[in-house]
Amino acid sequence: MNFKNQLLFRKCIFSTFLLLLCCGSLAAQTVKGHVYGSRPNGGREALPMANVYWMGGNQVVQTDERGSFSIDRRTNASRFLIASFIGYVSDTLEVVNPAQELVFILREQNELDAAVVTARQQGNLLSRSSPIRTEVITTAGLQKMACCNLAESFENSASVSVGYADAVTGARQIRLLGLSGIYVQMSDENRPSMRGLLNPFGLGFVSGQWLESIQIAKGPGSVMNGYEAITGQINMEFRKPPVEQPLFINLFFANSLRSEANIASSLQLNHKWSTVLLGHFSTDPQPHDGNHDGFLDEPLTFQYNFANRWLHIADNGVQWRFGFRALYETRDAGQSSHITTHRPEGMEDMPLWKSNIKNQGINLYSKLAIPLKRPGTETSAVAPNVALVFDYTHHALDAYFGLKDRNYDAKENSVFANLMFQFGIKEAHRFNLGLSGFYDHLDEDLSLSFANPSLEVVHPFAALGRKEHAWGAYGEYTFNQENKFLFVLGSRLDYNNLYGWLFSPRANVKYDFTENLIFRASGGKGYRTPNLIADNLGNLSTGRWLRIDDNLNIEQAWTYGLNLTGYFNLGRGEKSSLSFDYFRTDFQKQVMVDQERDLDYVWFYNLDGPSYTNTFQVDLTLEPLERFSILTTFRHTDARVHLAQFGTVERPLMSKYKGVFNVQYATRMSKWVFDVTAQLNGPSRLPYFVNATAATPESVKSNAEYSPTYPMLYAQVTRKFRDLDIYLGGENLTNYKQSNPILHADHPFSRKFNATVIWGPLMGMKVYAGLRYTLFK
């Protein structure tokens, strides 16, 4: 280590320890309240032994003989508190002011001659209490549309855009703050997930019916789960073992012949042990070619996965959560003899361009929370505790593209571990200390047919595959001044065996001008190791060679932003809000995946110039009438990147804006629920080769060609009975489809063949029907 690096290391160590010494201690807050059961005569009675727990949290408490409860409000806990009791309908409340006592009034199940409803629960909402700008999609929001999987759960959000990565594999990708979803840290109940080989198809491996909620946080967020969050974090909260629903069944069927079945069972074995079983099966067996180019619009898929999650709560307060998940999926894509009716002259005897992709994996996890003082010896607000999180994932991806000798086979083993210590002093200070890290062993085998044989490189794909590990320490301090001013300062220092020392400072500020006017600011740095092939799997569905430069960097960027949110009453509603966002991401280092530098190659090289995005968004939520809600959002994105041939230009295939308008109306007792969502998707710059016109740096900058603006329309009607929901809906009701999504589809083995220029929907109108059956204990 030279003198400069030693000096940098000493500064990082000094600043981290200075933070630890000056911050003081962490104090959790205690939320108190009562749980009552309603009576037919309009009265109410206390419910002793009712369960109260945070949505996705690590603690479950029970009410006393008076129906009273007291529960910790952890730094990493949800802002939503759930109360449940046998024979009653569970209810969910958002904790806005932790000092204010909450009152749950649960209704008996037999009171509802029509349906079990999610009382007072909005579909999409902005968290009031989080220091980070966080959008929450609740259970009600996940039921607004079919939500077959995670990728289809963001249609009512302008923050997240979802599209196809290419026109062959069916891989879905999200975008947040104008950048690909690879820069978003996905997490499974605050454990990092969908890393490495899971990136291309991971969104399709999570059933929307398994989820309890989704939290979308913009900006780099907390340092507790690593340094990989750049544009934001999307956390998934799954159905919980303590929820008293021994059986949930969801069946789905679409006119495209897509079929799906989901099952969930939450079982309470005794007062200490509970478990939830989750099962999923889906298939797309029918070939479709709506644009008549000879290629399947979506692959034929077959998928099943199973998960089992356990919770143990000991008498001394120790909680242990553990479980596993297994996955198997196949997808067949490309040309099909069933739909290929016309082939160019002279190509009748050419083989069909086909692709087969197989995903198999297993995940194991354990979360152990240990209070360091026995319950009752000290108030829960200042009681220290230790938590240990462990996660292991094995995933195998085997695929070929075009012909069977053009293959990509990869296996990955990943381990993540996190040791956390939390404690507090009084109510103003909270403190998290910890050690965490990961180990990734990625073994990749890519056919040499993807490399130019004339390129004088001994090992064309020597950069593929790696053994990478990074371990570090972090500290996070939270100052809370009576919930009016909240300041979170965190930093972590990691050593990566491939890239050396990585320092990640982050800060978040929340200030309440009034109870209904909230200001937030955030900023921080994140890093990410690029997975060259897995992150860009669609590039194997082209006729181009791959060219990978030597010594590619780890990607690193700063993200910072502002948010102002106001809440107000309108009509009979109490849930109206108006929010403004601005976020910017600046890359210091980035790996470019460039198809415009040389038409014979997909070129991977280090960024040499600016790369940034500016994102503006406004969200308006209204409830002018009882049971009638309106959600409208608009996002504008300015994304620029420096390309080797053209200099700084608009980032290709990035939509300039997106607007969402959603209305929902429910009849009394929510017997009928009507939901309509309209989207307006703005234009995006097309790569210059799409129209085969000559390109110069000036023409690409000043006379770029764009995709058209297009609408999307969704609708769903739900009829609710006591334990049964029946729904009927439609997607893409305007039947809008991108024309010619595959370039030179009639010559799939030529250099010009390209299935990655996707800016719009590939499938036309879809009509579906389904049911949800819930058996309450």
Side-chain angles (χ1 to χ4, degrees):
M1 182 181 297
N2 58 36
F3 176 79
K4 184 177 179 181
N5 290 336
Q6 289 179 345
L7 183 60
L8 177 61
F9 171 70
R10 290 171 181 171
K11 288 182 177 179
C12 294
I13 291 291
F14 176 78
S15 60
T16 300
F17 277 97
L18 182 61
L19 172 65
L20 304 184
L21 291 173
C22 71
C23 287
S25 303
L26 164 71
Q29 295 174 341
T30 301
V31 177
K32 298 180 179 180
H34 302 272
V35 180
Y36 298 100
S38 64
R39 295 284 117 212
N41 61 6
R44 64 186 188 184
E45 65 176 359
L47 295 179
M49 302 302 290
N51 290 323
V52 180
Y53 55 95
W54 293 106
M55 183 182 291
N58 292 323
Q59 185 181 20
V60 180
V61 299
Q62 292 184 325
T63 56
D64 60 18
E65 65 276 3
R66 299 185 303 273
S68 301
F69 68 88
S70 176
I71 187 170
D72 276 1
R73 177 171 175 249
R74 302 291 181 189
T75 302
N76 62 344
S78 168
R79 312 302 177 188
F80 297 92
L81 202 60
I82 301 172
S84 64
F85 190 74
I86 297 174
Y88 288 79
V89 181
S90 300
D91 194 11
T92 304
L93 294 177
E94 182 182 10
V95 178
V96 178
N97 182 4
Q100 182 180 359
E101 289 196 354
L102 297 179
V103 176
F104 289 92
I105 302 178
L106 307 186
R107 291 185 287 180
E108 288 187 285
Q109 290 177 18
N110 56 17
E111 286 184 30
L112 303 181
D113 56 354
V116 175
V117 299
T118 53
R120 290 175 287 175
Q121 191 179 65
Q122 294 174 268
N124 293 61
L125 55 91
L126 297 178
S127 174
R128 279 181 179 244
S129 52
S130 173
I132 304 171
R133 196 277 190 190
T134 303
E135 176 183 346
V136 181
I137 302 176
T138 66
T139 302
L142 291 169
Q143 293 178 356
K144 280 191 172 186
M145 287 175 284
C147 289
C148 293
N149 54 54
L150 183 62
E152 298 167 328
S153 302
F154 301 105
E155 301 299 351
N156 288 327
S157 171
S159 299
V160 179
S161 296
V162 182
Y164 286 92
D166 61 88
V168 171
T169 66
R172 308 294 291 271
Q173 64 176 0
I174 62 173
R175 294 183 185 272
L176 180 65
L177 300 186
L179 290 166
S180 169
I182 61 176
Y183 300 110
V184 179
Q185 185 175 55
M186 304 295 298
S187 61
D188 177 341
E189 297 183 350
N190 295 310
R191 291 177 291 110
S193 65
M194 295 190 196
R195 302 174 64 252
L197 293 182
L198 282 166
N199 262 326
F201 305 105
L203 295 174
F205 297 156
V206 178
S207 169
Q209 303 300 323
W210 285 10
L211 299 176
E212 190 175 76
S213 70
I214 304 170
Q215 292 100 44
I216 307 168
K218 291 184 177 180
S222 173
V223 297
M224 289 191 292
N225 287 328
Y227 54 66
E228 292 186 329
I230 291 180
T231 59
Q233 296 172 308
I234 296 180
N235 181 53
M236 302 169 288
E237 293 292 341
F238 285 77
R239 293 174 177 267
K240 301 296 185 290
V243 177
E244 296 176 336
Q245 293 180 359
L247 182 62
F248 169 84
I249 297 175
N250 167 246
L251 302 177
F252 171 91
F253 184 78
N255 63 330
S256 62
L257 298 189
R258 174 179 173 83
S259 304
E260 180 172 322
N262 296 282
I263 186 170
S265 178
S266 297
L267 304 173
Q268 295 75 48
L269 306 183
N270 52 49
H271 73 283
K272 293 183 178 181
W273 286 94
S274 58
T275 185
V276 60
L277 304 171
L278 301 168
H280 168 84
F281 168 80
S282 61
T283 181
D284 275 293
Q286 179 67 33
H288 297 276
D289 181 21
N291 54 17
H292 307 293
D293 62 0
F295 278 78
L296 296 175
D297 296 331
E298 286 188 333
L300 309 180
T301 63
F302 176 86
Q303 180 193 138
Y304 63 84
N305 54 60
F306 177 78
N308 185 203
R309 294 168 175 250
W310 287 82
L311 170 64
H312 174 72
I313 304 177
D315 293 334
N316 61 0
V318 173
Q319 295 188 29
W320 184 27
R321 296 176 183 266
F322 62 95
F324 78 93
R325 179 181 169 200
L327 161 77
Y328 177 85
E329 185 202 59
T330 61
R331 50 182 64 210
D332 294 293
Q335 291 179 308
S336 171
S337 56
H338 295 92
I339 59 178
T340 305
T341 58
H342 178 267
R343 308 187 73 184
E345 184 177 351
M347 298 185 62
E348 294 84 359
D349 297 330
M350 289 288 291
L352 296 179
W353 196 103
K354 285 183 171 291
S355 175
N356 174 267
I357 302 171
K358 181 167 65 175
N359 285 281
Q360 301 176 85
I362 188 168
N363 171 258
L364 308 172
Y365 79 93
S366 172
K367 300 170 70 174
L368 181 66
I370 305 173
L372 299 184
K373 294 195 176 181
R374 293 184 61 83
T377 61
E378 188 175 6
T379 62
S380 58
V382 298
N385 66 87
V386 172
L388 176 62
V389 179
F390 176 82
D391 188 281
Y392 167 75
T393 299
H394 169 78
H395 193 85
L397 190 158
D398 302 315
Y400 71 85
F401 299 84
L403 299 175
K404 290 189 176 181
D405 61 352
R406 288 175 60 86
N407 57 68
Y408 172 66
D409 299 326
K411 291 180 176 60
E412 183 176 35
N413 290 284
S414 296
V415 175
F416 169 80
N418 191 359
L419 176 64
M420 297 176 283
F421 175 51
Q422 302 176 335
F423 63 96
I425 296 179
K426 298 183 179 180
E427 297 290 336
H429 308 280
R430 296 201 299 262
F431 196 55
N432 292 330
L433 299 175
L435 303 171
S436 69
F438 67 87
Y439 172 80
D440 292 339
H441 182 189
L442 178 61
D443 186 10
E444 297 177 285
D445 183 9
L446 186 63
S447 169
L448 290 178
S449 60
F450 290 103
N452 185 348
S454 64
L455 195 63
E456 295 181 0
V457 178
V458 177
H459 302 291
F461 301 126
L464 300 182
R466 67 179 184 276
K467 292 182 180 180
E468 179 185 14
H469 58 83
W471 303 94
Y474 63 82
E476 188 170 82
Y477 166 72
T478 301
F479 173 74
N480 190 335
Q481 185 183 37
E482 299 178 347
N483 299 305
K484 184 178 179 65
F485 176 69
L486 190 64
F487 175 63
V488 182
L489 179 64
S491 67
R492 63 177 299 128
L493 181 65
D494 295 86
Y495 181 77
N496 184 297
N497 66 308
L498 300 180
Y499 303 104
W501 291 101
L502 306 174
F503 181 60
S504 310
R506 297 175 184 178
N508 296 277
V509 177
K510 172 180 170 287
Y511 182 74
D512 295 10
F513 291 106
T514 68
E515 183 180 351
N516 293 317
L517 184 61
I518 300 173
F519 170 78
R520 294 178 177 88
S522 64
K525 189 175 186 180
Y527 301 84
R528 183 181 180 278
T529 300
N531 302 290
L532 301 180
I533 305 303
D535 292 348
N536 307 279
L537 197 65
N539 287 307
L540 303 185
S541 298
T542 72
R544 301 186 180 201
W545 294 304
L546 305 183
R547 183 161 184 172
I548 302 173
D549 283 1
D550 295 330
N551 302 317
L552 296 180
N553 294 323
I554 188 173
E555 299 183 299
Q556 53 183 283
W558 287 88
T559 298
Y560 33 90
L562 305 172
N563 167 256
L564 183 65
T565 303
Y567 299 88
F568 57 93
N569 296 336
L570 179 67
R572 299 185 62 180
E574 299 179 355
K575 302 174 183 177
S576 299
S577 64
L578 179 62
S579 175
F580 298 91
D581 293 343
Y582 166 72
F583 282 86
R584 179 182 176 92
T585 300
D586 270 309
F587 277 92
Q588 294 179 307
K589 295 180 181 179
Q590 188 178 20
V591 173
M592 305 306 302
V593 184
D594 192 349
Q595 292 197 37
E596 298 184 88
R597 182 173 181 175
D598 189 320
L599 297 188
D600 286 331
Y601 295 98
V602 177
W603 205 317
F604 300 78
Y605 58 89
N606 286 321
L607 173 71
D608 183 18
S611 175
Y612 62 87
T613 63
N614 293 299
T615 305
F616 304 84
Q617 183 169 324
V618 58
D619 299 80
L620 176 63
T621 302
L622 303 173
E623 194 175 7
L625 302 173
E626 188 176 7
R627 304 184 308 277
F628 179 72
S629 62
I630 300 173
L631 168 67
T632 179
T633 67
F634 182 82
R635 183 207 67 229
H636 180 270
T637 301
D638 175 31
R640 308 275 171 169
V641 64
H642 186 92
L643 299 182
Q645 183 178 358
F646 300 115
T648 303
V649 296
E650 289 186 54
R651 187 179 293 273
L653 300 176
M654 169 50 61
S655 176
K656 285 188 173 183
Y657 59 82
K658 177 182 179 181
V660 177
F661 180 78
N662 171 261
V663 293
Q664 184 181 84
Y665 175 73
T667 62
R668 287 183 60 83
M669 304 300 293
S670 294
K671 288 184 178 181
W672 290 91
V673 180
F674 304 89
D675 195 278
V676 177
T677 299
Q679 292 182 4
L680 185 66
N681 297 273
S684 56
R685 183 181 76 83
L686 298 176
Y688 79 88
F689 57 80
V690 171
N691 296 294
T693 57
T696 65
E698 291 73 22
S699 66
V700 171
K701 291 179 181 179
S702 59
N703 299 310
E705 298 192 40
Y706 294 87
S707 64
T709 301
Y710 66 91
M712 296 282 283
L713 184 64
Y714 306 81
Q716 181 174 287
V717 178
T718 304
R719 176 64 167 96
K720 292 176 177 285
F721 301 91
R722 174 176 296 182
D723 299 323
L724 180 68
D725 295 355
I726 298 176
Y727 57 90
L728 175 68
E731 300 178 0
N732 193 10
L733 295 177
T734 57
N735 199 35
Y736 188 89
K737 293 178 289 186
Q738 177 179 341
S739 59
N740 303 318
I742 301 179
L743 303 181
H744 299 277
D746 54 344
H747 293 84
F749 295 100
S750 70
R751 283 277 164 258
K752 295 182 178 181
F753 172 74
N754 198 316
T756 64
V757 186
I758 305 301
W759 48 261
L762 301 178
M763 292 286 288
M765 182 173 62
K766 179 189 294 184
V767 179
Y768 62 84
L771 63 86
R772 290 183 289 262
Y773 172 76
T774 305
L775 175 65
F776 291 87
K777 188 173 180 179

